């Protein structure tokens, strides 16, 4: 065995899968048997925001179907280059919420730390697809220092939210370093982690991650991100079970996306799949109007009608809260039924 092969085997499985994720449009189209006409648009759009799809997520898509709901979330399309009225680079005005480099505060008592810019998957509708990560994050450490100092100085912050990017992109050692530092701040009582990795890269939930999870003094709420029932396969269910056994409370936030999950049957199946995996369907967000994402937009009226229809079919705990984030508001705003 060569030295580099030995080194590669020494890495955890999830890091090898991450390194092998698909990032070339031609490879994605070939793997799914999709028409070559899609290539020019996919190449142009992926220059704006890179393509990235873990192979395990790709395996849950239907071969030959350009409208597969998982594929639609990750396939770059030429229309991302079109201007659309009301779709802008920072629709939530996160620049105004910056408290320190790498720290945003939108709501009372909570602060959001940008742990990393890296994600296992690149979702085309991502509201942070134009986020200025280089100004906010330096995974070498000093930028965290400024965020941690700001949290230490403000005793009203009881909950720290790790976001990004996807915080679970960090190695176990870096995560431990970060959460140990947060755990040393006496007034912080809870840790919330926003992550899509247990869904798109379930191998991330390995022994090392579970040890890290059990090692913090802080109760951990993990907010997952799944949008369609086809995302939840046996490996994802096993990852959720392991996270729960390690003590995490599991919630899910979805984004209501045209052509992906704007259908009552799909929303019902998603909620049932989540609850059966031990995850509470918590939020359903109207998509944020970020530039290049107009094809996913769902009108508020349509969203309300969908939720009405869902409520008529299932128990209340299977109905997520329909919300929209509005810059400057004191909380996420419910879209009333
Ligand atoms: S995982 Fe979250 S932060 Fe990363 S690209 Fe998708 S929506 Fe954006």
């Amino acid at each position: 065995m060569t030295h580099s092969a030995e080194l590669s085997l020494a890495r955890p499985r999830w890091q090898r899968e991450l390194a092998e994720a698909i990032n070339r449009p031609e490879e994605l189209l070939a793997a799914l048997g999709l028409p070559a006409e899609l290539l020019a648009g996919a190449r142009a759009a992926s220059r704006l925001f890179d393509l990235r799809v873990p192979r395990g997520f790709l395996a849950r898509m239907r071969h030959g179907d350009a409208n597969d709901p998982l594929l639609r979330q990750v396939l770059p399309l030429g229309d991302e280059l079109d201007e659309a009225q009301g779709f802008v680079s920072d629709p939530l005005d996160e620049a105004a919420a910056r408290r320190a480099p790498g720290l945003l505060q939108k709501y009372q008592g909570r602060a959001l730390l940008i742990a990393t810019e890296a994600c296992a998957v690149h979702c085309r509708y991502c509201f942070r697809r134009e986020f200025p990560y280089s100004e906010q994050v330096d995974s070498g450490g000093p930028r965290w220092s400024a965020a941690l100092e700001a949290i230490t100085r403000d005793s009203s912050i009881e909950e720290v939210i790790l976001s990004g990017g996807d915080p679970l992109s960090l190695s176990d050692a870096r995560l431990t370093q970060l959460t140990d530092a947060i755990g040393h701040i006496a007034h912080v009582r809870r840790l919330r982690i926003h992550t899509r990795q247990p869904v798109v890269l379930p191998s991330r939930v390995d022994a090392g991650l579970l040890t890290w999870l059990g090692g913090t003094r802080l109760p951990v709420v993990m907010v997952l991100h799944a949008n369609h029932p086809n995302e939840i396969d046996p490996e994802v269910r096993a990852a959720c079970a392991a996270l729960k056994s390690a003590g995490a409370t599991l919630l899910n936030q979805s984004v209501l996306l045209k052509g992906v999950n704007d259908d009552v049957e799909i929303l019902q199946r998603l909620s049932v799949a989540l609850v059966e995996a031990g995850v509470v369907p918590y939020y359903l967000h109207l998509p944020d109007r970020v530039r290049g994402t107009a094809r996913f937009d769902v009108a508020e009226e349509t969203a309300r009608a969908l939720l009405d229809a869902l409520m008529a079919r299932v128990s209340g705990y299977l109905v997520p809260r329909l919300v929209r984030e509005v810059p400057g508001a004191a909380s996420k705003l419910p879209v009333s039924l």
Side-chain angles (χ1 to χ4, degrees):
M1 189 182 292
T2 64
H3 182 60
S4 65
E6 275 175 39
L7 273 179
S8 137
L9 277 178
R11 282 192 295 171
R13 180 182 144 203
W14 70 271
Q15 286 186 346
R16 281 181 274 136
E17 288 184 6
L18 209 48
E20 287 162 9
I22 291 183
N23 53 20
R24 289 183 307 120
E26 51 274 36
E27 195 183 356
L28 178 64
L29 298 183
L32 291 171
L34 294 173
E37 300 95 87
L38 290 167
L39 188 56
R43 278 189 176 144
S46 63
R47 271 181 226 118
L48 297 176
F49 181 44
D50 296 345
L51 165 72
R52 176 175 273 205
V53 192
R55 286 170 198 273
F57 194 65
L58 179 97
R60 293 171 235 166
M61 298 173 190
R62 291 188 291 261
H63 194 85
D65 181 359
N67 291 319
D68 177 89
L70 275 55
L71 175 67
R72 278 184 65 84
Q73 296 178 52
V74 298
L75 176 65
L77 291 181
D79 67 10
E80 291 177 33
L81 284 80
D82 300 341
E83 289 293 325
Q85 201 179 4
F87 287 76
V88 297
S89 68
D90 180 12
L92 304 182
D93 196 14
E94 291 200 309
R98 182 175 134 145
R99 287 276 304 270
L103 191 74
L104 306 180
Q105 187 168 26
K106 300 180 185 180
Y107 309 125
Q108 198 175 340
R110 292 148 272 175
L112 186 148
L113 193 148
I114 302 287
T116 171
E117 73 280 24
C119 288
V121 68
H122 284 179
C123 314
R124 304 316 296 175
Y125 54 84
C126 178
F127 73 103
R128 292 211 178 110
R129 53 183 280 165
E130 295 195 23
F131 191 80
Y133 285 108
S134 58
E135 295 166 21
Q136 301 275 354
V137 186
D138 176 355
S139 31
R143 300 289 171 99
W144 285 354
S145 313
L148 292 168
E149 275 164 30
I151 297 167
T152 306
R153 280 196 306 271
D154 184 346
S155 60
S156 73
I157 297 175
E158 291 196 344
E159 179 174 359
V160 174
I161 303 160
L162 299 186
S163 183
D166 193 316
L168 298 192
S169 305
L170 296 171
S171 68
D172 298 334
R174 292 288 285 148
L175 272 174
T176 304
Q177 196 183 3
L178 179 58
T179 53
D180 280 358
I182 296 169
H184 280 114
I185 305 172
H187 56 260
V188 176
R189 303 175 61 158
R190 293 178 301 283
L191 192 61
R192 193 189 331 161
I193 297 166
H194 285 181
T195 175
R196 189 144 160 69
Q197 291 211 354
V199 175
V200 299
L201 189 75
S203 57
R204 179 65 187 96
V205 182
D206 61 7
L209 189 87
L210 298 170
T211 304
W212 161 74
L213 195 53
T216 170
R217 73 163 175 88
L218 299 163
V220 174
V221 176
M222 212 172 259
V223 184
L224 309 182
H225 173 179
N227 299 315
H228 192 281
N230 293 3
E231 293 174 42
I232 300 167
D233 71 359
E235 212 187 330
V236 174
R237 280 194 288 277
C240 292
L243 290 168
K244 274 180 78 97
S245 315
T249 299
L250 299 183
L251 309 177
N252 183 67
Q253 55 183 346
S254 304
V255 185
L256 185 58
L257 300 164
K258 191 169 177 181
V260 173
N261 57 9
D262 59 335
D263 175 287
V264 69
E265 179 77 34
I266 300 290
L267 292 174
Q268 178 175 354
R269 282 175 43 215
L270 174 62
S271 283
V272 169
L274 286 166
V275 167
E276 288 179 359
V279 185
V280 176
Y282 178 46
Y283 274 143
L284 179 63
H285 291 263
L286 281 166
D288 300 311
R289 295 202 164 120
V290 68
R291 184 159 47 204
T293 67
R295 70 175 180 275
F296 294 111
D297 201 38
V298 177
E300 219 166 278
E301 235 175 271
T302 311
R304 272 197 295 266
L306 277 168
L307 264 276
D308 268 346
L310 184 63
M311 279 176 77
R313 285 175 171 226
V314 298
S315 311
Y317 62 85
L318 290 167
V319 182
R321 290 180 218 179
L322 180 64
V323 289
R324 181 186 279 294
E325 191 167 334
V326 173
S331 68
K332 293 200 166 81
L333 296 185
V335 178
S336 51
L337 297 175

